[in-house]
C-alpha cells in the first residue's frame, strides 16, 4: 500500500523536471531548518531509536542520508528532524564548480531508478565551510553524526588529485565527524582511476599525514563496476592504510535495465543497483573486518535487511527517499529487532 508521500507528494514533485523538483524540495527543507514549528512537523516521521556505535561515533539509528542530496549542507537540521541517524553532505570539491550542463538527472519510475550526470556541482570547500561554521554558531547543529564527502575538482589534473583532496580536507575536517573520499563517481572524467592501488595508497597516505591531530575516521566510497579482483585490491589497500570504513557503492554504469532509446549518460541508482551493491557488501565483509556502509538499491525494508545480512553496519538512502519519501526511514527501522 502506498504511503501519503507516494500518493500525494510524489506525483506533484514528479510533475517538475527532476533537478527543479530537487531544488524546490531542498529549498523547503532549508527554510524548515530554521523554523522550530517546521522541526516539530518533520518529527512526525521520526523512526524508532536503534542505537549503533561505530568509528567511535554514536548513531541513533543506522539509516543515513547518502551524499548527493544535500551537496552544500544547506538543510542539516531538517534531515535530523526527519529522523536520519547520520547525514552525509557533498560531494564537495576544493573549487566551486557548476557541474555538467543540464538536463542531468533522469527518472525511470518503472524501474524505480535514476540516472544522474551532475558532475560534482557544488559551492566549493570554502563556501561550505563558511555555511557550516555559521550553523554551528546558531545552535542548530545536528546531534547526529555529520559526514563530509569530498572529491576531485573537475579541472584539476589527475596527477594533482591528492593535493586537491588535501585542500578540501584541510578546510572541512573541523566540521566533519567522518570524511569520505569519493574516488568512484562516473561523472568526473578519470576519477575512478584513483581506485587503483598506487593512486589510492598515495591519497590515503597523504590524508593520514594531515589527520594525525584531528583523527577523523576516513572512509572510501567505491564503484559497483569493479571486477572481483579489483575490489579485493581496493579492500587490501584500505586495510593497509587503516581506513575506517567503505561505502559500497556509488552509482553504476550498467544501464542494462533501461529500455533502448531511453538511456542517458551518467550513473544509475535505485532498485536495479540492489543486487550488485549487496554482492559488494558481502565480498568486502568476507574479505575484511573494515565496516561497510551499504548504499545502493535500498528501497524498502527487505532490501535494507538484505544489506545488513550481507554484512553492512550502516545504511544510506538516496533514490529510495525520492521514490518512497521519509516514511521509508520508519519502515526500515521497524524491520529490525
Amino acid at each position: 500500500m502506498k504511503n501519503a508521500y507516494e500518493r500525494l507528494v510524489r506525483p506533484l514533485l514528479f510533475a517538475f523536471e527532476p533537478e527543479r523538483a530537487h531544488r524546490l524540495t531542498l529549498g523547503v527543507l532549508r527554510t524548515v531548518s530554521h523554523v522550530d514549528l517546521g522541526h516539530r512537523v518533520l518529527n512526525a516521521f521520526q523512526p524508532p531509536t536503534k542505537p549503533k556505535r561505530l568509528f567511535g561515533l554514536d548513531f541513533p539509528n543506522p539509516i543515513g542520508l547518502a551524499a548527493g542530496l544535500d551537496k552544500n549542507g544547506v538543510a542539516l537540521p531538517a534531515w535530523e528532524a526527519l529522523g536520519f541517524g547520520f547525514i552525509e553532505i557533498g560531494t564537495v570539491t576544493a573549487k566551486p564548480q557548476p557541474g555538467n550542463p543540464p538536463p542531468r538527472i533522469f527518472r525511470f519510475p518503472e524501474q524505480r531508478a535514476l540516472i544522474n550526470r551532475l558532475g560534482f556541482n557544488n559551492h566549493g570547500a570554502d563556501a561550505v565551510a563558511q555555511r557550516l561554521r555559521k550553523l554551528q554558531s546558531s545552535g542548530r547543529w545536528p546531534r547526529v553524526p555529520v559526514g563530509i564527502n569530498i572529491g576531485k575538482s573537475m579541472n584539476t589534473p589527475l596527477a594533482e588529485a591528492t593535493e586537491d583532496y588535501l585542500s578540501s580536507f584541510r578546510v572541512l575536517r573541523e566540521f566533519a565527524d567522518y570524511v569520505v573520499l569519493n574516488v568512484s563517481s562516473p561523472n568526473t572524467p578519470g576519477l575512478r582511476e584513483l581506485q587503483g592501488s598506487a593512486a589510492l595508497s598515495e591519497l590515503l597516505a597523504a590524508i593520514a599525514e594531515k589527520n594525525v591531530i584531528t583523527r577523523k575516521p576516513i572512509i572510501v566510497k567505491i564503484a559497483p563496476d569493479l571486477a572481483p579482483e579489483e575490489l579485493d585490491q581496493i579492500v587490501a589497500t584500505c586495510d593497509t592504510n587503516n581506513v575506517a570504513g567503505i561505502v559500497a557503492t556509488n552509482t553504476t554504469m550498467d544501464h542494462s535495465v533501461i529500455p533502448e532509446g531511453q538511456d542517458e549518460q551518467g550513473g544509475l541508482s535505485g532498485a536495479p543497483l540492489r543486487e550488485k551493491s549487496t554482492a559488494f557488501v558481502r565480498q568486502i565483509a568476507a574479505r575484511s573486518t573494515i565496516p561497510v556502509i551499504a548504499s545502493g538499491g535500498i528501497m524498502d525494508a527487505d532490501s535494507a535487511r538484505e544489506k545488513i545480512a550481507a554484512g553492512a553496519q550502516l545504511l544510506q538512502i538516496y533514490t529510495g527517499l525520492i521514490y518512497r519519501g521519509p516514511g521509508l526511514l520508519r519502515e526500515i527501522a521497524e524491520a529490525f529487532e
Side-chain angles (χ1 to χ4, degrees), residues 17-336:
E17 184 271 330
E19 192 165 359
R20 186 179 180 196
H22 186 178
R23 286 196 301 269
L24 288 170
T25 301
L26 206 54
V28 170
L29 292 174
R30 182 176 188 169
T31 300
V32 168
S33 290
H34 302 283
V35 179
D36 291 337
L37 177 60
H39 281 215
R40 290 195 289 271
V41 171
L42 294 183
N43 281 337
F45 295 100
Q46 286 270 345
T49 301
K50 305 285 182 179
K52 181 83 175 179
R53 185 167 177 80
L54 200 65
F55 320 133
L57 303 172
D58 292 313
F59 299 81
N61 67 65
I63 311 161
L65 180 76
L69 269 169
D70 192 352
K71 292 177 179 291
N72 296 300
V74 302
L76 271 65
W79 299 121
E80 180 193 20
L82 280 169
F84 282 98
F86 62 108
I87 307 159
E88 189 171 311
I89 69 169
T91 296
V92 183
T93 55
K95 306 165 187 174
Q97 55 187 38
N100 293 317
R104 50 192 183 178
I105 306 178
F106 307 89
R107 301 186 192 102
F108 298 88
E110 187 175 334
Q111 290 78 23
R112 295 190 300 162
L114 298 173
I115 289 177
N116 92 80
R117 52 171 180 257
L118 289 162
F120 289 169
N121 55 310
N122 74 103
H123 296 160
D126 288 332
V128 172
Q130 184 177 359
R131 178 175 297 113
L132 297 180
R133 186 173 288 110
K134 184 176 180 180
L135 181 63
Q136 279 186 337
S137 65
S138 74
R140 293 186 179 274
W141 189 265
R143 294 161 295 179
V144 302
V146 174
I148 302 182
N149 183 305
I150 60 176
K152 185 184 78 68
S153 303
M154 184 83 73
N155 293 328
T156 297
L158 208 57
E160 300 171 17
T162 294
E163 184 53 43
D164 194 78
Y165 279 89
L166 283 172
S167 177
S168 296
F169 181 73
R170 285 190 289 260
V171 171
L172 294 166
R173 60 187 168 185
E174 67 178 285
F175 306 104
D177 291 303
Y178 68 88
V179 175
V180 178
L181 306 180
N182 187 345
V183 292
S184 53
S185 170
N187 299 316
T188 295
L191 186 74
R192 289 188 169 188
E193 293 181 32
L194 296 176
Q195 295 176 118
S197 294
L200 185 57
S201 291
E202 177 188 328
L203 175 59
L204 290 172
I207 293 290
E209 185 179 344
K210 299 300 181 184
N211 195 33
V212 173
I213 297 175
T214 52
R215 295 192 179 278
K216 301 294 183 178
I218 304 300
I219 296 168
V220 174
K221 187 168 186 174
I222 63 172
D225 303 316
L226 299 161
E229 58 274 16
E230 291 176 316
L231 178 56
D232 280 344
Q233 288 174 4
I234 287 176
V235 174
T237 301
C238 289
D239 265 325
T240 301
N241 288 275
N242 299 312
V243 164
I246 295 175
V247 178
T249 61
N250 213 315
T251 56
T252 180
M253 295 303 291
D254 178 1
H255 296 187
S256 56
V257 300
I258 304 300
E260 189 176 351
Q262 297 181 31
D263 198 10
E264 294 285 349
Q265 183 180 353
L268 182 141
S269 62
L273 186 52
R274 172 179 173 174
E275 185 176 337
K276 185 175 289 193
S277 173
T278 300
F280 269 46
V281 172
R282 188 176 293 112
Q283 184 176 341
I284 296 167
R287 170 72 172 75
S288 171
T289 59
I290 296 177
V292 180
I293 303 174
S295 179
I298 301 173
M299 310 294 288
D300 51 30
D302 285 344
S303 50
R305 278 192 294 258
E306 178 182 278
K307 293 290 193 290
I308 297 296
Q313 298 291 320
L314 297 172
L315 309 172
Q316 286 183 329
I317 60 174
Y318 180 142
T319 305
L321 184 65
I322 291 171
Y323 278 96
R324 300 292 315 285
L328 177 60
L329 279 75
R330 179 175 292 275
E331 179 183 326
I332 292 173
E334 290 178 345
F336 299 112

